[in-house]
Amino acid sequence: MSKKKVLLRGVFINRDTNGEGVLKVGTTLIRVSTVMGILYVTLFGGELVMIKLKMSIEDISEYQTGILPKNAVKIETPQSIEEMMKKAAPIAAVLCILMFVTMLCKTVMNKTVVISHVFILIGFCLGYICLVIHEWLHGIVYPRNALVTIGKITGKISFVALASYPLKRRRFIVMCLLPFVLGIIPLLIFIVSPAEYRELNGLMFGMSCMGMVSPFPDVYNVFIVLKNANKKDAIMFYKNDMYKVS
């Protein structure tokens, strides 16, 4: 099989005749299949994660059909996204209150308006775009040979990362909570930036609101796992359900 090596802005790309390539950026290895639309991501010199991108996802269960161990025990969870959203709503409310209090404290301390309302809206829009990165952050936590599918649910404005692979409870919790970095980073910038930087403050506050509140269903999953699984258990999704494997 013939291979080419291409230099693109300091990133080496090995490409073969099947249309598959390997991008190396520092210690990060990304294999790209231009034929199948699949990304294979290796981070921190560790394990290979296969991430498949789908523009539209109709049936979630279709992408969560891994090998279910015989000793797997089903954990009771909401049977639809709508039901989960309702049960997780109090978590979203708490996160919204946290953001409001942060804004109030900065405003009171500086005794002036610290944000541009127009840039808050722009920040919200950027935060929505970052929901794809939110799902990607879920996906990169999965180990070697795990298949993760990222896409937008048909007819809805929500994105999902779907996988059916057992993760140790601790790793599962990291997988759920990692996307909070998309809220924490802009929130810290908002907190430390000067009051007169209203455009920057508005932009960062809008992005942090989306980044801090959007993981509320993931926080709900963490509470469910902490309540129903032991430290040594592995957690996995299978079709529309969650299971623990002892």
Side-chain angles (χ1 to χ4, degrees):
M1 184 181 297
S2 64
K3 291 190 176 181
K4 304 175 183 178
K5 177 171 283 190
V6 182
L7 178 61
L8 178 61
R9 293 184 182 179
V11 178
F12 282 95
I13 304 175
N14 290 324
R15 184 175 57 199
D16 58 34
T17 54
N18 291 329
E20 293 189 346
V22 177
L23 285 71
K24 186 176 183 183
V25 186
T27 58
T28 301
L29 183 67
I30 304 177
R31 184 176 301 155
V32 182
S33 170
T34 57
V35 177
M36 300 299 293
I38 297 176
L39 300 181
Y40 303 78
V41 183
T42 302
L43 296 176
F44 313 115
E47 301 170 333
L48 193 67
V49 184
M50 183 167 63
I51 301 179
K52 184 177 181 180
L53 308 176
K54 293 284 290 185
M55 295 300 295
S56 181
I57 294 177
E58 295 185 7
D59 184 6
I60 289 177
S61 63
E62 179 183 345
Y63 301 94
Q64 297 188 142
T65 55
I67 300 174
L68 186 66
K70 293 182 179 180
N71 62 333
V73 177
K74 182 179 175 181
I75 298 175
E76 291 301 322
T77 57
Q79 291 301 297
S80 68
I81 293 179
E82 291 76 13
E83 185 183 354
M84 171 181 279
M85 293 297 185
K86 290 179 181 178
K87 291 192 173 183
I91 299 172
V94 171
L95 293 170
C96 286
I97 292 172
L98 173 64
M99 298 307 298
F100 174 78
V101 170
T102 304
M103 167 66 73
L104 182 62
C105 290
K106 188 177 180 77
T107 302
V108 170
M109 289 176 63
N110 289 279
K111 299 179 181 180
T112 185
V113 176
V114 298
I115 58 169
S116 163
H117 296 89
V118 172
F119 276 81
I120 285 183
L121 295 177
I122 297 174
F124 273 126
C125 294
L126 290 176
Y128 178 77
I129 294 173
C130 286
L131 288 178
V132 177
I133 302 176
H134 171 126
E135 302 304 335
W136 180 77
L137 289 172
H138 284 314
I140 63 174
V141 179
Y142 278 86
R144 184 186 304 274
N145 298 328
L147 172 60
V148 181
T149 302
I150 294 176
K152 179 181 174 294
I153 299 178
T154 304
K156 299 182 183 297
I157 61 172
S158 54
F159 294 84
V160 289
L162 305 173
S164 185
Y165 197 99
L167 297 177
K168 286 297 183 180
R169 192 183 78 164
R170 185 176 182 180
R171 190 166 184 167
F172 181 88
I173 292 172
V174 171
M175 182 274 293
C176 288
L177 301 182
L178 185 58
F180 267 112
V181 300
L182 297 177
I184 293 173
I185 293 174
L187 181 60
L188 291 176
I189 296 174
F190 168 75
I191 291 173
V192 302
S193 64
E196 58 269 23
Y197 290 5
R198 292 185 178 88
E199 291 79 11
L200 175 62
N201 289 333
L203 188 67
M204 291 298 103
F205 187 75
M207 292 184 67
S208 63
C209 282
M210 185 63 73
M212 291 295 292
V213 177
S214 61
F216 75 95
D218 304 312
V219 178
Y220 180 77
N221 280 335
V222 169
F223 282 132
I224 289 178
V225 167
L226 290 175
K227 181 180 179 181
N228 293 280
N230 297 319
K231 290 182 178 180
K232 295 183 179 181
D233 289 340
I235 310 298
M236 70 177 292
F237 294 105
Y238 184 77
K239 294 188 175 180
N240 290 321
D241 299 309
M242 180 190 295
Y243 289 82
K244 65 177 180 180
V245 183
S246 301

